[in-house]
Amino acid sequence: MKAARLHAYDQPLALDELDEPRATGPLDVVVRIGAAGLCRTDLHIQEGQWAEKSGVALPYTLGHENAGWVHEVGSAVSNVEVGDTVIVHPYISCGLCRPCRRGDDMHCVNGSFPGIDRDGGFADLLLTHARSVIKLDPRLEPKDIAALADAGLTAIHAVKKAAPMLGAGTRTVVIGAGGLGHIGIQCLKALTPTEIIVIDPSDKALGLARDVGADQAVKVDGTQVDTVRQLTDGLGAEVILDFVGEKGAIQDGIAMVQDGGFYHVIGYGENVDIPTIDVISREISFIGNLVGTYTDLEDLMTLTAEGKVRLHTSTYPLEAINDAMADLDQGRLQGRGILVPAG
Ligand SMILES: [Zn+2]
Ligand SMILES: [Zn+2]
């Protein structure tokens, strides 16, 4: 099979011919990839930011937001059959450890993460696990929903955490209306009555933000902090959802959060840099968000089936992976980039 693999950091991916994975374990599931979403994390992996954390050995196959059809199942798999359309929760969790028992799939102590620390879905086939697959309506096209497996999942996870603070009359600033942000806006709209203020440097992204439900769209042009403070009666917003985490977003977000407010870190790349005296005197809570749980993904599939969340995507053949990565890096990608294997 074909697979797009990283052989060396700071180098383009190579399209290799590999042996097909097999469902040798009792709960293994092999998925024929219908589509795989491209994530900013793939750029960070290529830059080497994850090398130490993941401990992965090169070369390996990237791609952690996957959907397709079940190709082969292990002897004990009972929740899906060959041919089922599935979306793949990005993490493989054990189901037995304490974090798994409380439903916190991402912090499973025996887990693994295809596309991060083992072979992922930029390929014709992906080896995953019965616990990770959600069976979908067969009419759903993988290319239309693949990015919900990570971008969408991460967005709804953060929105669900923030939602208890977001009653009527509250404001939320969404930093970045890209692949995650535009889903976050729709989840906020579906799950809370908060007023949604979106900031982004791109006019196109701001247009998309308005289309999917933003109440205010503010251009990042040097005046964005003043504009947001005016829009929030000089107080700032109760909640910041920072889908960027770099390129000045954090300074902006800290200046836009209300005293006593909640700053959700979702995008990443640079440091949260704030004097501790400001953290205590302004009583700002900084909250990390790592992808989401299996049930978050089920919730998101329900919102999608109800037409409340729609993905905006740009599709590339798998062979064009390096063009897609360059487009993402240079801000040319609208919505989420989706790789579709020829098979
Ligand atoms: Zn990702
Ligand atoms: Zn576990």
Side-chain angles (χ1 to χ4, degrees), residues 194-225:
T194 196
E195 182 183 342
I196 304 167
I197 302 168
V198 179
I199 73 165
D200 197 289
S202 152
D203 288 322
K204 273 189 174 173
L206 291 174
L208 173 59
R210 279 191 208 95
D211 288 348
V212 297
D215 298 296
Q216 305 282 351
V218 177
K219 193 172 167 79
V220 174
D221 60 1
T223 64
Q224 65 274 13
V225 170

Side-chain angles (χ1 to χ4, degrees), residues 60-91:
Y60 83 112
T61 309
L62 270 52
H64 57 272
E65 44 184 52
N66 305 304
W69 305 276
V70 175
H71 176 74
E72 187 186 10
V73 295
S75 57
V77 174
S78 57
N79 57 331
V80 291
E81 293 174 4
V82 170
D84 284 349
T85 303
V86 290
I87 190 163
V88 184
H89 187 281
Y91 207 67

Side-chain angles (χ1 to χ4, degrees), residues 66-70 79-80 83-88 133-146 148-149 294 297-298 300-302 304-305:
N66 305 304
W69 305 276
V70 175
N79 57 331
V80 291
D84 284 349
T85 303
V86 290
I87 190 163
V88 184
V133 288
I134 295 179
K135 183 176 168 177
L136 300 175
D137 187 315
R139 288 169 298 185
L140 282 175
E141 283 283 338
K143 71 177 169 46
D144 297 332
I145 47 102
L148 294 173
Y294 188 89
L297 188 54
E298 285 184 322
L300 184 60
M301 298 320 298
T302 302
T304 305

Side-chain angles (χ1 to χ4, degrees), residues 111-287:
S112 62
F113 203 154
I116 307 283
D117 60 19
R118 56 186 274 181
D119 284 339
F122 289 163
D124 291 319
L125 296 165
L126 168 75
L127 175 60
T128 180
H129 188 273
R131 275 180 58 81
S132 302
V133 288
I134 295 179
K135 183 176 168 177
L136 300 175
D137 187 315
R139 288 169 298 185
L140 282 175
E141 283 283 338
K143 71 177 169 46
D144 297 332
I145 47 102
L148 294 173
D150 173 54
L153 177 56
T154 304
I156 195 171
H157 182 68
V159 168
K160 281 175 67 180
K161 267 205 230 173
M165 284 77 199
L166 293 175
T170 60
R171 280 90 169 223
T172 299
V173 169
V174 171
I175 302 180
L180 275 77
H182 86 282
I183 307 168
I185 294 163
Q186 296 175 74
C187 292
L188 280 170
K189 206 83 196 162
L191 301 176
T192 81
T194 196
E195 182 183 342
I196 304 167
I197 302 168
V198 179
I199 73 165
D200 197 289
S202 152
D203 288 322
K204 273 189 174 173
L206 291 174
L208 173 59
R210 279 191 208 95
D211 288 348
V212 297
D215 298 296
Q216 305 282 351
V218 177
K219 193 172 167 79
V220 174
D221 60 1
T223 64
Q224 65 274 13
V225 170
D226 291 340
T227 306
V228 168
R229 292 199 75 87
Q230 279 164 20
L231 290 171
T232 53
D233 307 318
L235 294 173
E238 279 85 354
V239 166
I240 307 290
L241 296 179
D242 181 356
F243 289 103
V244 178
E246 56 185 0
K247 299 174 181 166
I250 301 157
Q251 289 76 4
D252 280 356
I254 288 171
M256 290 171 183
V257 67
Q258 195 172 114
D259 289 0
F262 298 84
Y263 191 116
H264 283 265
V265 179
I266 307 155
Y268 65 95
E270 289 168 8
N271 295 347
V272 175
D273 188 8
I274 179 172
T276 46
I277 190 170
D278 289 347
V279 176
I280 65 116
S281 62
R282 297 189 54 201
E283 207 165 345
I284 303 170
S285 301
F286 289 92
I287 300 158

